[in-house]
Amino acid sequence: MKYYVLDTKNELGKEAAVKGAFYITEAIKKRGSATIIVATGASQFEMLESLVTLDIDWSKVEAFHLDEYLGMSITHGASFRKYLKERFVDKVNHLKAFNFIEGDSKDINKELARLNSLIGSKQIDVAFVGVGENGHLAFNDPPADFETNDPYIIVDLDEACRKQQMGEGWFPTLEDVPLQAISMSVKQILKSEHIINTVPDERKANAIKCAIEGEVTNLCPASILQTHPSCYWYLDTHSASKLKK
């Protein structure tokens, strides 16, 4: 695990994108294609803004969606499908494929089976992720399930997570934030060859401290990234403010 502290969100977003692009390009050189995971949320704005401008042969890249609210329509302002379509898919040329999570599917079990079948045989080259204020990884809130082998699972969202979503402006009230989501599981994320973790803002400082300097525990789900051999953290001075070094 390596972490870098940059002065601004723009700097950390650019550096995270460049590192991810390097590994995507390396995968294409080795195998002729690459498979990536793409996250959402306010922490990913600057990274995605930079990533879509870099020299990558997107026609050889397949992408998977990290998480989506259960029952969420793609037309809703907080939809992660909408977010990724507008900030990523529509901005890159000839993307090979993007596998969206249909959170409002009429048959959620069938949707989970579809997603798990799609990703089950894939080698994930790069996972772009973030960390929540409660230390969550994807929507795996504490106490997170570190044991399931299912690639995608239904999870309950805790109050801290739901307050974060409201605080970031995605929902007008706490009552409007869904109680559940479809999330990529912790074990599936850890299968990625390289993980690029972008985490700005002082409100994430406690989560960063527990994830990087604390014990590995499902009460701080992102702490599991300490066990990954190629995980890069991109922080700003605010999110890193409580680290000892």
Side-chain angles (χ1 to χ4, degrees):
M1 180 179 71
K2 297 180 180 180
Y3 69 85
Y4 306 91
V5 181
L6 290 304
D7 289 332
T8 69
K9 289 184 183 181
N10 283 335
E11 287 178 300
L12 75 87
K14 181 178 180 180
E15 292 299 318
V18 167
K19 177 66 80 172
F22 170 79
Y23 284 124
I24 292 170
T25 302
E26 286 295 294
I28 293 171
K29 287 178 182 177
K30 289 177 183 177
R31 298 200 319 273
S33 65
T35 305
I36 67 174
I37 296 166
V38 189
T40 55
S43 66
Q44 305 299 305
F45 286 160
E46 291 78 15
M47 188 283 293
L48 286 174
E49 193 173 306
S50 293
L51 185 65
V52 299
T53 68
L54 298 178
D55 186 17
I56 297 170
D57 185 352
W58 293 107
S59 70
K60 296 178 180 176
V61 178
E62 180 176 9
F64 282 88
H65 186 171
L66 190 64
D67 46 28
E68 180 61 281
Y69 297 106
L70 204 62
M72 179 70 70
S73 165
I74 194 172
T75 60
H76 192 289
S79 164
F80 291 143
R81 280 179 291 169
K82 182 175 186 292
Y83 174 116
L84 288 168
K85 186 175 186 302
E86 294 175 349
R87 290 180 170 85
F88 178 66
V89 177
D90 289 349
K91 291 182 179 291
V92 297
N93 291 322
H94 310 296
L95 186 67
K96 180 180 177 181
F98 197 102
N99 300 292
F100 287 104
I101 300 170
E102 305 290 337
D104 56 350
S105 170
K106 293 180 180 179
D107 189 334
I108 290 299
N109 289 330
K110 186 175 180 180
E111 174 63 2
L112 284 171
R114 180 186 73 86
L115 292 166
N116 291 343
S117 176
L118 281 171
I119 203 170
S121 62
K122 301 288 184 180
Q123 164 61 53
I124 305 299
D125 299 292
V126 181
F128 293 97
V129 302
V131 172
E133 292 175 27
N134 64 354
H136 73 201
L137 184 60
F139 264 147
N140 297 288
D141 287 338
D145 185 345
F146 280 1
E147 302 305 322
T148 183
N149 290 307
D150 293 341
Y152 284 96
I153 57 176
I154 294 176
V155 295
D156 296 324
L157 305 183
D158 71 13
E159 186 171 316
C161 171
R162 295 172 65 239
K163 283 182 175 178
Q164 177 185 330
Q165 308 312 312
M166 183 188 69
E168 290 183 357
W170 303 109
F171 299 92
T173 71
L174 185 61
E175 289 69 30
D176 292 309
V177 185
L179 296 171
Q180 292 184 305
I182 296 176
S183 177
M184 187 173 289
S185 68
V186 171
K187 273 194 172 182
Q188 179 61 42
I189 294 168
L190 291 177
K191 289 179 181 179
S192 306
E193 187 169 358
H194 306 286
I195 297 177
I196 309 297
N197 196 0
T198 308
V199 195
D201 297 330
E202 187 173 5
R203 60 195 172 88
K204 304 285 184 76
N206 285 328
I208 291 302
K209 182 173 178 59
C210 81
I212 291 179
E213 295 181 343
E215 65 176 317
V216 175
T217 169
N218 67 350
L219 298 179
C220 181
S223 65
I224 195 71
L225 295 176
Q226 293 178 33
T227 69
H228 195 277
S230 183
C231 180
Y232 299 88
W233 296 68
Y234 291 87
L235 315 173
D236 64 10
T237 54
H238 303 293
S239 62
S241 61
K242 295 191 177 181
L243 294 176
K244 291 178 182 177
K245 54 182 178 176

